Amino acid sequence: MSESPPPSVFIDESAHVIEGEEAEALIRERSEREEVFLKADSGIAAVDRARWEEAQRYERRTWMESGVDLQGDRNRYHQICLGGYSALRKHHFARAIELGCGPFTNMRIIHECCRIDHMHLLDPLLNDYLRHPYCQYTNGRLGGGKRLLGDVFRWRDEGRRLLAHPWQLPLALYKALSHGGWKGAEVTLVPSMIEECKAVAHFDLVVMVNVLEHCQDGHAVLQKILELTTRGSILVFGDLLFDVEKIKQTHRKLYDVGHPLRIDGTVIRSFLAGNFQELHRCEKRIPRSFHDIELEDNELYFIGTRV
């Protein structure tokens, strides 16, 4: 007796998971309306404003309601996949920006690995994230001894441990003071979507990790990276690489409101190869499942110098 196929799954803007016939009807309606977004050569690389704003409502609820107790967003995992940011060590960057920083940022780890004079953090939901209890850039500052000690004691009061062992505190405090002083390093906050970011000057370090799925126009975002950089600038990049044919199959069974874009890997590989000289690369296949629906995508983590 053959096994029945897994039920269809629809994830709405409140992150509610809907299954079965109701999900099938919702997916069918969305597929008919949004078929225009799926391109044979690039996957779903751009959507309309209404679709993106729906995804932003999902994202806001994810961090400001259901994720209000979280203290990170796989930032340490990204660090491992990016080689511990060893390609950035001993570099001195005058201006750096993280595109789609979220409430926790990867810059808080990166700025401990190298010298950065001026840091910028950009996210369309940045003003919302400033109200998150574990936001890493409140008061326009990142890192520092004051934040570290505050987090250590707050976690202790909550019955948790920020550090695995108490003896790690002196070293962690020394590191925090070295890379942010007591108050933390000043950062410029940019509440904007990437596509509409106004570049007043070039950056010699641009960071964008786990962001493209959340954007409105992936082609415009990649073009914006080129506008923000110049020859010799370094890009730190990480994201999923999709396959157009698998996108077509998966979308018949799974529709995720929170992640509007599914860009074919050839688009991203071509962009990186054509504009950046590789310093670090980690690409791996990630098999996973969601409510019995089998998924398999590639993760790409890349550091390169603009040519």
Side-chain angles (χ1 to χ4, degrees):
M1 184 176 179
S2 61
E3 294 184 3
S4 59
S8 298
V9 175
F10 184 94
I11 306 170
D12 69 15
E13 68 175 64
S14 297
H16 295 147
V17 177
I18 302 167
E19 297 185 80
E21 293 183 0
E22 183 181 359
E24 289 178 7
L26 289 168
I27 292 174
R28 185 162 52 251
E29 187 272 333
R30 287 294 183 114
S31 298
E32 293 174 357
R33 188 202 321 165
E34 300 179 3
E35 184 179 1
V36 65
F37 298 149
L38 181 59
K39 306 297 183 182
D41 61 344
S42 58
I44 304 174
V47 295
D48 61 25
R49 188 75 172 210
R51 176 68 183 89
W52 177 76
E53 289 175 348
E54 179 185 45
Q56 288 293 287
R57 293 193 293 272
Y58 171 103
E59 194 73 6
R60 184 183 293 106
R61 290 190 178 99
T62 295
W63 297 114
M64 302 308 297
E65 295 178 18
S66 59
V68 74
D69 293 325
L70 297 178
Q71 292 90 32
D73 183 16
R74 301 196 304 153
N75 305 106
R76 294 298 176 184
Y77 172 75
H78 300 322
Q79 179 185 17
I80 293 170
C81 294
L82 286 159
Y85 299 118
S86 59
L88 305 181
R89 295 190 186 280
K90 298 183 180 181
H91 278 269
H92 177 191
F93 300 104
R95 288 165 49 84
I97 187 168
E98 181 169 2
L99 306 175
C101 64
F104 310 113
T105 88
N106 296 288
M107 194 72 81
R108 66 189 169 94
I109 301 172
I110 291 172
H111 91 110
E112 296 178 350
C113 303
C114 53
R115 181 180 169 187
I116 304 174
D117 293 339
H118 301 286
M119 289 183 285
H120 294 65
L121 300 176
L122 177 148
D123 199 291
L125 297 176
L126 192 143
N127 287 330
D128 292 280
Y129 294 151
L130 285 170
R131 301 194 305 272
H132 192 287
Y134 295 98
C135 176
Q136 293 295 306
Y137 45 84
T138 50
N139 300 321
R141 293 184 176 274
L142 193 65
K146 182 178 180 180
R147 182 184 302 279
L148 173 66
L149 291 180
D151 287 345
V152 167
F153 288 111
R154 178 164 55 171
W155 281 44
R156 186 192 66 178
D157 292 343
E158 295 172 354
R160 296 180 291 176
R161 290 190 299 178
L162 179 61
L163 304 173
H165 302 285
W167 57 263
Q168 292 178 323
L169 180 58
L171 179 59
L173 182 58
Y174 171 78
K175 192 174 183 181
L177 291 170
S178 299
H179 296 280
W182 173 245
K183 294 182 179 180
E186 289 189 21
V187 294
T188 299
L189 304 180
V190 187
S192 169
M193 60 190 300
I194 299 171
E195 297 90 329
E196 296 179 356
C197 169
K198 305 299 182 184
V200 295
H202 289 115
F203 293 86
D204 41 7
L205 175 63
V206 173
V207 179
M208 192 176 77
V209 179
N210 193 28
V211 172
L212 271 177
E213 286 183 273
H214 305 278
C215 296
Q216 180 184 345
D217 187 335
H219 296 301
V221 169
L222 297 180
Q223 181 60 38
K224 183 61 65 174
I225 290 174
L226 298 183
E227 292 176 13
L228 293 173
T229 56
T230 189
R231 182 179 177 86
S233 297
I234 291 181
L235 171 67
V236 176
F237 177 90
D239 225 308
L240 290 174
L241 305 181
F242 295 93
D243 177 86
V244 171
E245 292 305 315
K246 290 183 180 179
I247 293 170
K248 294 176 182 177
Q249 297 171 16
T250 303
H251 259 237
R252 298 190 188 105
K253 300 296 295 181
L254 172 63
Y255 187 97
D256 181 1
V257 164
H259 300 80
L261 299 192
R262 293 285 187 269
I263 302 177
D264 188 85
T266 57
V267 174
I268 297 172
R269 292 189 186 98
S270 177
F271 169 78
L272 295 174
N275 296 285
F276 295 89
Q277 181 179 348
E278 180 181 316
L279 299 175
H280 169 86
R281 186 187 189 96
C282 173
E283 185 171 342
K284 52 187 176 180
R285 189 171 295 279
I286 306 295
R288 52 195 175 95
S289 63
F290 184 82
H291 285 245
D292 296 327
I293 298 175
E294 298 299 322
L295 306 170
E296 188 171 302
D297 303 303
N298 281 356
E299 278 187 341
L300 172 62
Y301 288 90
F302 176 92
I303 301 176
T305 304
R306 176 83 189 274
V307 295

